[in-house]
């Protein structure tokens, strides 16, 4: 079983996200360690991209702070190498297609495997275009994480069947006003996914509070939180680790 | 690299040699597939084509003139120069051709709302114009830098009933406007059609733009046949994303004797960082839904680019142009701000035409090329737009402050 899938076997998984290099390398290492100690089941690290079109303003600003701190792709690998010495939690990278493409898919995937990164989330590499990287993720044993949304419709079977590691169910915050209908559509989507795969499905869609996490974990196998943690990083800057740790603990407790 | 490039198959598959594709988040993919299906359904549909060509004729004012530039020809003393006058279209640029086509697809898909990105404002104005004509809602995304330097066009779009968003993320120019428009599209794809203004983005946008802009070269080919009885030797057009260039080249791609020259914005020069010369200085990457050529750093971070022309101020180029370059079918040359501004003044004085600063990048290349050729050679140069919008910034470039109050 993949290390990412295995992270879901002990109950509902909590998957926090931070931007690598926000605001500097050492803080990111401390934040990763804090999240791992607080019970994170998988840690998602964003490799900043100049034009993160799939991210909202909070994460875009996190990327900008990381660039201001001089982040590079090799520096992100250095962060992972340092953190890996102290934590055993599985890692996934979230980044845009141009980053691994430009680094060279082979070289990028090799480096990930060498440092113990277990999977890749690449929002702008949809299933139609994944064939160009898949030979390399397979060669090095990385899971290519499939994204599924409320818009996916009749694409769900094909996406679910190709899934590995875990599935990232993503939706926009824009529709949270219609809460009841939204819940019904989401639980319907999870039921649909389960028809085609045993790969666990986690949800990330602007979840902030332990209450929301508990609520969504009724049907989701895991909870992914990005913006709320990047907000803490923004507020506490180089001293965010204890706060991020506390938050992670509360969220993990809410879904346990 | 000399792979042969044939447009027809590429436009169907969305792959132009290695370039093109649909590199978009899953949240947008189902909608892009619907756009692709709608385009495939209607592109050869007689009713669609009839409505498209009727609007081009009766609303946009086509065919645009192919004008023999006698003064320039005599002054430069070489090849005969013909100007394809897209600046004479309604709204003052070639952009309207494509907007009419895409908006007709949008209407057939039942969309009520058009969104678009714009740099100089030409595409935004064209989209706002057609939205007004079709009774559709319209929102335009424009970098804050561009709303500041093109205030007249912002007001023009507002007059036409569009809402203009000044995009404050990133470098606040065209690429950031595309980012914002893509985000809005992801949130609102149910009732919204994204009218892509250039030959960029995910398939089927480069194919649609090629298709709807190819009217430029369909006309020029016939018009030159009528007056000279032959094909041109050169076709010259400016390239940002490459919409007027692909339209100017389209009908000649399979005529190997016709040399195709795209003129990109070198800004302050290709040896400086203040440039937008993607063909000269870029490398292959994945951005804005396509694999193409981009100005980027070694990590793949997209560069902030520069050109005096807001319409060419873009770090990428359409995938079909890269295929045309790699296959050796077209050449791309960088033109600096200085050369373009000189051309702006030159064509105004020689021919009495104030052409868009974008188009003047092509005029500058003609100034260099024509004198090197014998008098029996023919160049067609596309004037993609008119230059009224640029008068104030050219004056400023020359150190003249115009007081418009």
């Amino acid at each position: 079983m993949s290390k990412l899938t295995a992270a879901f076997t002990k109950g509902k998984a909590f998957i926090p996200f931070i931007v690598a290099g926000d605001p500097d390398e050492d803080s990111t290492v401390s934040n990763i360690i804090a999240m791992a100690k607080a019970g994170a089941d998988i840690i998602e690290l964003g490799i900043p991209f100049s034009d993160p079109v799939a991210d909202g303003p909070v994460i875009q600003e996190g990327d900008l702070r990381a660039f201001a701190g001089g982040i590079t792709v090799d520096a992100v690998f250095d962060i992972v190498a340092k953190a890996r010495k102290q934590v055993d939690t599985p890692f996934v990278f979230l980044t845009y297609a141009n980053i691994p493409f430009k680094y060279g898919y082979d070289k990028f995937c090799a480096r990930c495997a060498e440092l113990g990164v277990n999977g890749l989330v690449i929002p702008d590499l949809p299933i139609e275009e994944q064939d160009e990287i898949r030979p390399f993720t397979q060669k090095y044993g990385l899971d290519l994480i499939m994204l599924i949304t409320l818009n996916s419709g009749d694409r769900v079977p094909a996406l679910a069947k190709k899934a590995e590691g875990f599935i990232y169910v993503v939706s926009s915050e824009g529709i949270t006003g219609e809460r009841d209908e939204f819940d019904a559509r989401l639980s319907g989507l999870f039921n649909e996914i389960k028809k085609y795969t045993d790969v666990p499905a986690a949800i990330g869609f602007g979840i902030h509070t332990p209450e929301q996490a508990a609520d969504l974990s009724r049907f989701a196998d895991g909870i992914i939180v990005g913006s709320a943690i990047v907000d803490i990083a923004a507020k506490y800057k180089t001293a965010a680790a204890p706060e991020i740790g506390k938050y992670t603990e509360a969220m993990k407790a809410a879904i346990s | 690299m000399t792979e042969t490039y044939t447009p027809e198959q590429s436009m169907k598959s969305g792959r132009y040699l290695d370039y093109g594709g649909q590199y978009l988040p899953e949240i947008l993919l189902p909608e892009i597939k619907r756009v692709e299906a709608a385009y495939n359904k209607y592109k050869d549909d007689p009713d669609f084509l009839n409505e498209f060509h009727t609007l081009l004729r009766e609303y946009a004012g086509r065919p645009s003139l192919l004008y023999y530039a006698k003064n320039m020809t005599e002054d430069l003393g070489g090849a005969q120069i013909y100007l394809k006058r897209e600046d004479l279209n309604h709204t003052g640029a070639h952009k309207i051709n494509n907007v009419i086509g895409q908006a007709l697809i949008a209407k057939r898909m039942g969309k009520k709302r058009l969104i678009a990105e714009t740099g100089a404002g030409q595409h935004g104005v064209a989209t706002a114009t057609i939205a007004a004509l079709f009774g559709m809602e319209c929102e335009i995304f424009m970098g804050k830098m561009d709303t500041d330097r093109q205030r007249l066009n912002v007001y023009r779009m507002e007059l036409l009933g569009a809402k203009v968003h000044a995009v404050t993320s990133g470098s606040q120019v065209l690429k950031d406007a595309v980012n914002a428009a893509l985000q809005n599209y992801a949130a609102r794809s149910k009732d919204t059609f994204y009218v892509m203004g250039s030959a960029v983005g995910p398939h089927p946008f480069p194919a649609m733009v090629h298709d709807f802009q190819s009217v430029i070269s369909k006309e020029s080919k016939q018009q030159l046949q009528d007056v000279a009885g032959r094909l041109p030797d050169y076709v010259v057009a400016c390239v940002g994303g490459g919409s007027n260039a692909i339209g100017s080249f389209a009908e000649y791609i399979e005529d190997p004797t016709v040399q195709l020259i795209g003129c990109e914005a070198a800004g302050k020069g290709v040896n400086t960082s203040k440039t937008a010369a993607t063909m000269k200085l870029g490398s292959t990457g994945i951005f804005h839904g396509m694999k193409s050529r981009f100005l980027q750093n070694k990590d793949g971070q997209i560069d902030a680019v520069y050109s005096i022309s807001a319409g060419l101020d873009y770090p990428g180029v359409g995938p079909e142009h890269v295929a045309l370059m790699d296959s050796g079918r077209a050449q791309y040359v960088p033109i600096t701000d200085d050369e373009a501004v000189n051309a702006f003044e030159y064509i105004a004085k020689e021919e009495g035409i104030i052409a868009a600063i974008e188009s003047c990048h092509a005029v500058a290349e003609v100034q260099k090329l024509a004198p090197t050729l014998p008098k029996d050679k023919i160049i067609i140069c596309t004037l993609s737009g008119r230059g009224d919008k640029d008068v104030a910034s050219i004056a400023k470039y020359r150190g003249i402050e115009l007081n418009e109050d």
Side-chain angles (χ1 to χ4, degrees), chain A residues 48-56 60 67 71-74 97-99 101-103 105 123-129 132 147-149 151-153 155 159 170-172 185, chain B residues 15 20-30 33-34 169-170 175-176 178-179 182-183 186-187 189-190 283-288 291 294 296-303:
Chain A
F49 181 52
S50 52
D51 297 82
V53 289
D55 288 302
Q60 290 192 15
F67 284 125
I71 197 70
T72 62
V73 177
D74 281 323
N98 203 40
I99 299 293
F101 175 77
K102 189 74 181 165
Y103 203 87
Y105 288 142
D124 59 343
L125 202 63
I127 190 167
E128 281 79 358
E129 309 294 354
E132 63 187 65
L147 291 117
I148 299 184
T149 83
N151 291 354
S152 294
R155 298 164 57 84
L159 298 171
V170 65
S171 183
S172 67
R185 289 181 66 204
Chain B
R15 278 284 169 182
Q22 295 180 316
Y23 297 86
L24 277 186
E26 171 60 24
I27 197 157
L28 272 170
L29 242 293
K33 292 287 180 192
R34 283 191 282 273
S169 59
K175 91 173 158 100
D176 311 289
V178 176
N179 294 347
L182 281 171
Q183 291 201 328
S189 62
K190 235 181 218 163
S283 59
T284 305
I286 298 170
F287 184 48
H288 282 164
K291 185 175 283 179
F294 299 97
Q296 53 183 327
N297 74 9
K298 70 170 182 50
D299 269 359
Q301 310 294 354
I302 304 301
D303 285 345

Side-chain angles (χ1 to χ4, degrees), chain B residues 175-197:
Chain B
K175 91 173 158 100
D176 311 289
V178 176
N179 294 347
L182 281 171
Q183 291 201 328
N184 187 271
Y185 193 31
R188 288 285 301 266
S189 62
K190 235 181 218 163
D191 67 343
T192 297
F193 189 98
Y194 182 0
V195 183
M196 188 71 81

Side-chain angles (χ1 to χ4, degrees), chain B residues 66 72 81-85 234-237 248 347 359 362-364 366 379-384:
Chain B
L66 184 71
M72 273 178 72
I81 299 159
Y82 286 83
L83 302 173
K84 182 60 175 159
R85 300 288 307 274
Y234 294 85
V235 177
V236 182
S248 302
I347 192 172
S359 317
V363 174
V366 170
I379 301 172
I380 295 179
C381 173
T382 299
L383 295 188
S384 56

Side-chain angles (χ1 to χ4, degrees), chain A residues 157-220:
Chain A
L159 298 171
K161 283 176 193 165
K162 275 258 179 186
E164 50 195 28
F166 65 92
I167 291 169
Y168 193 137
V169 176
V170 65
S171 183
S172 67
E173 268 177 291
I175 25 182
T176 47
E178 310 152 29
R179 189 69 221 194
D180 291 340
E181 190 208 341
F182 185 56
D183 263 11
R185 289 181 66 204
L186 264 186
S187 60
L189 179 59
F190 276 87
N191 289 337
E192 172 81 359
I193 291 168
K194 297 292 175 196
K195 280 192 226 165
Y196 304 100
T197 182
D198 293 329
V199 172
I203 186 163
F205 78 109
I207 304 163
H208 287 78
T209 66
E211 293 73 27
Q212 288 172 320
D215 189 31
L216 290 164
S217 65
R218 283 178 296 127
F219 44 83

Side-chain angles (χ1 to χ4, degrees), chain B residues 224-335:
Chain B
L224 191 68
Q225 188 63 38
D226 291 346
V227 297
R230 67 179 189 90
L231 289 170
D233 299 290
Y234 294 85
V235 177
V236 182
C238 66
V239 178
S243 65
N244 94 82
I246 204 65
S248 302
F249 295 170
E251 288 301 303
Y252 301 108
I253 291 172
E254 292 179 273
D255 294 319
T257 62
V258 182
Q259 299 206 43
L260 309 175
I261 303 177
C263 307
E264 61 176 354
K268 303 280 184 201
V270 294
N271 300 319
T272 73
S273 62
K274 301 210 94 185
T275 180
T278 309
M279 289 300 200
K280 176 85 181 166
L281 302 171
S283 59
T284 305
I286 298 170
F287 184 48
H288 282 164
M290 58 180 172
K291 185 175 283 179
S292 191
R293 201 170 167 87
F294 299 97
L295 288 165
Q296 53 183 327
N297 74 9
K298 70 170 182 50
D299 269 359
Q301 310 294 354
I302 304 301
D303 285 345
V305 297
Y306 165 82
S307 161
I308 189 172
S309 144
L312 305 182
D313 199 344
Y314 183 71
V317 64
E320 190 172 6
H321 285 293
V322 192
L324 288 169
M325 180 177 74
D326 279 5
S327 65
R329 182 62 195 92
Q331 299 171 55
Y332 295 83
V333 296
I335 299 292

